[in-house]
Amino acid sequence: GYVQSPGGFGSPAGAPAEKKQRSRSQNIVPCTVSQLLAAEQVDEAFRISDVEISQVTVVGIIRHAEKAPTNILYKVDDMTAAPMDVRQWVDTDEAGGENVVVPPGTYVKVAGHLRSFQNKKSLVAFKIMPLENMNEFTTHILEIVNAHIILRKNLMSASRAPPSFSTGMSDMGGYGGGGSLPVNGLSAHQSQVLNLIKSCPVPEGMSLQELKLHLHSMSMSTIKQAVEFLSSEGHIYSTVDDDHYKSTDAE
Amino acid sequence: MGDIHEVPRPRIAAGHLAQYIGQPVCFVGRVEKIHPTGKFFVLSDGVGKHTTVELSEPLDEEISGIVEVVGRVTNQATIMCMSYVQFREDKSPFDLELYNEALNIIHEFPEYFPFG
């Protein structure tokens, strides 16, 4: 999903120059306003339950809109907390057109950067899109839960790293992790199971029994859990029956 | 009047009303009927359960389709409405059943979707 994307929007033109830290998260993470308000700031970075965030998306209803010469200030409400300030910079060189104020009472999806000034959080938006299909609002709710579960799970498996990796120095946040750890968000067990399944050339794939033969140290229930996870994430699929699996990446 | 919009308003379905008595909530449902006085209307949620919504002032417009209500749950497990919004369905119908599924998930995983 898009959690892995490099966030192709790039830096908004009006934003102050960012320090080029290697650890800056490249994700764009769907969040609730309550999560953004609870995010802790360490130097230039924000963390929600230790997951680093920078670019976020929020879906909510516009409660208030105020146009100023250089920016439009909105208050966006997603019911999880008080409405959040969302600022959209206006390009003063462009005549009229580009920045039409979205009226209060409109549901929008906001993509922007989280900011904090004098302990007050706000968003600087690079995109504000009125929702045309309200099912996107439902999807956003599901995407928030999904993204945060995945990001936190990655952090759990990443935290098995040797103590020399200190937060802020390495790019451990989200999918940025490198080095000796699996970068695809899988735990060690899941990776081992997946690699074995990938290596199997026969059409009916590898059976649970064969996996157990190869992975003596893993219990059958651990193997089954790994298979279930890999299958639900789309890395593998069952073939002749629920005991046989092939990789979706197989050559 | 504006106060309720400054606090967290958990999204709930009709089945949750009893647990949220006295609390601010957000309820999304389909308009089933409107009382002739315009002071009450009934919404159904994604599993078809009905909820009564009361207004302090009668409705001054026709409402229909999917409505999102912000209000407080009364002792009778109705909702005293402070504000409401109609969901646009001009391009696509809103899947209320899917929304209900999403509610089940956020109630099951409040650590990933916190209210407040």
Side-chain angles (χ1 to χ4, degrees):
Chain A
Y2 58 77
V3 182
Q4 277 181 302
S5 87
F9 301 103
S11 281
E18 312 267 13
K19 274 209 300 227
K20 293 281 183 266
Q21 283 186 315
R22 267 303 273 122
S23 59
R24 179 161 297 281
S25 169
Q26 291 302 301
N27 303 327
I28 184 164
V29 184
C31 295
T32 62
V33 169
S34 54
Q35 284 167 333
L36 297 181
L37 293 177
E40 289 163 350
Q41 187 172 18
V42 179
D43 299 325
E44 295 291 310
F46 290 98
R47 285 175 186 277
I48 296 176
S49 299
D50 287 334
V51 173
E52 192 185 319
I53 54 152
S54 169
Q55 297 180 88
V56 299
T57 56
V58 167
V59 167
I61 190 168
I62 306 245
R63 291 290 183 203
H64 184 77
E66 205 173 286
K67 191 166 175 137
T70 56
N71 67 90
I72 306 172
L73 175 62
Y74 293 103
K75 292 205 184 275
V76 175
D77 184 6
D78 74 352
M79 313 294 170
T80 64
M84 171 162 270
D85 282 358
V86 174
R87 202 171 295 270
Q88 185 176 36
W89 295 98
V90 170
D91 189 341
T92 49
D93 288 341
E94 279 186 43
E98 176 64 38
N99 292 113
V100 178
V101 176
V102 180
T106 313
Y107 253 97
V108 294
K109 182 175 221 166
V110 176
H113 285 88
L114 183 60
R115 292 279 180 267
S116 182
F117 181 65
Q118 294 178 343
N119 252 327
K120 185 168 170 163
K121 297 256 185 29
S122 65
L123 283 182
V124 171
F126 45 78
K127 197 94 169 124
I128 298 185
M129 300 158 281
L131 293 188
E132 297 201 330
N133 182 341
M134 284 304 291
N135 293 304
E136 265 194 69
F137 141 79
T138 307
T139 312
H140 186 79
I141 292 174
L142 297 169
E143 285 172 348
I144 289 173
V145 176
N146 187 53
H148 287 259
I149 285 182
I150 289 177
L151 290 171
R152 257 180 252 184
K153 184 188 302 197
N154 282 350
L155 225 49
M156 299 302 185
S157 38
S159 68
R160 281 194 238 120
S164 56
F165 280 106
S166 58
T167 54
M169 298 309 283
S170 72
D171 48 8
M172 291 292 241
Y175 283 94
S180 56
L181 295 162
V183 296
N184 50 8
L186 301 180
S187 72
H189 285 156
Q190 290 158 356
S191 282
Q192 280 179 279
V193 169
L194 180 59
N195 289 333
L196 269 174
I197 294 177
K198 270 187 183 172
S199 67
C200 179
V202 303
E204 62 268 23
M206 189 161 250
S207 71
L208 291 177
Q209 287 68 33
E210 282 174 281
L211 284 170
K212 181 80 180 88
L213 279 176
H214 283 93
L215 300 165
H216 340 270
S217 59
M218 242 189 258
S219 71
M220 188 48 115
S221 75
T222 307
I223 294 176
K224 281 189 178 169
Q225 272 175 38
V227 162
E228 216 178 281
F229 175 78
L230 291 170
S231 175
S232 71
E233 291 292 298
H235 294 291
I236 61 176
Y237 59 95
S238 60
T239 57
V240 293
D241 59 30
D242 282 340
D243 282 347
H244 288 79
Y245 291 86
K246 267 195 94 62
S247 162
T248 48
D249 280 335
E251 283 95 73
Chain B
M1 184 199 79
D3 318 326
I4 203 173
H5 298 96
E6 298 294 312
V7 300
R9 289 138 285 160
R11 290 185 173 279
I12 62 164
H16 299 121
L17 285 165
Q19 301 153 247
Y20 286 86
I21 302 231
Q23 298 190 44
V25 295
C26 176
F27 188 96
V28 175
R30 179 167 283 117
V31 179
E32 295 294 336
K33 45 183 183 273
I34 306 175
H35 193 265
T37 61
K39 293 203 74 180
F40 307 85
F41 55 91
V42 174
L43 296 179
S44 61
D45 68 10
V47 293
K49 283 192 72 171
H50 287 197
T51 301
T52 302
V53 178
E54 299 177 43
L55 298 153
S56 44
E57 319 240 312
L59 285 169
D60 59 2
E61 58 172 350
E62 273 297 319
I63 58 169
S64 65
I66 305 292
V67 167
E68 179 179 72
V69 167
V70 164
R72 206 173 279 277
V73 183
T74 67
N75 292 334
Q76 295 78 39
T78 63
I79 300 178
M80 185 67 209
C81 172
M82 303 305 292
S83 72
Y84 69 85
V85 151
Q86 292 186 77
F87 275 12
R88 61 182 291 187
E89 292 190 281
D90 54 320
K91 298 248 166 82
S92 313
F94 182 69
D95 189 337
L96 192 57
E97 290 72 35
L98 180 66
Y99 175 75
N100 226 83
E101 292 294 328
L103 287 190
N104 290 336
I105 288 179
I106 66 179
H107 281 257
E108 193 181 331
F109 295 103
E111 65 271 37
Y112 298 107
F113 199 97
F115 280 97

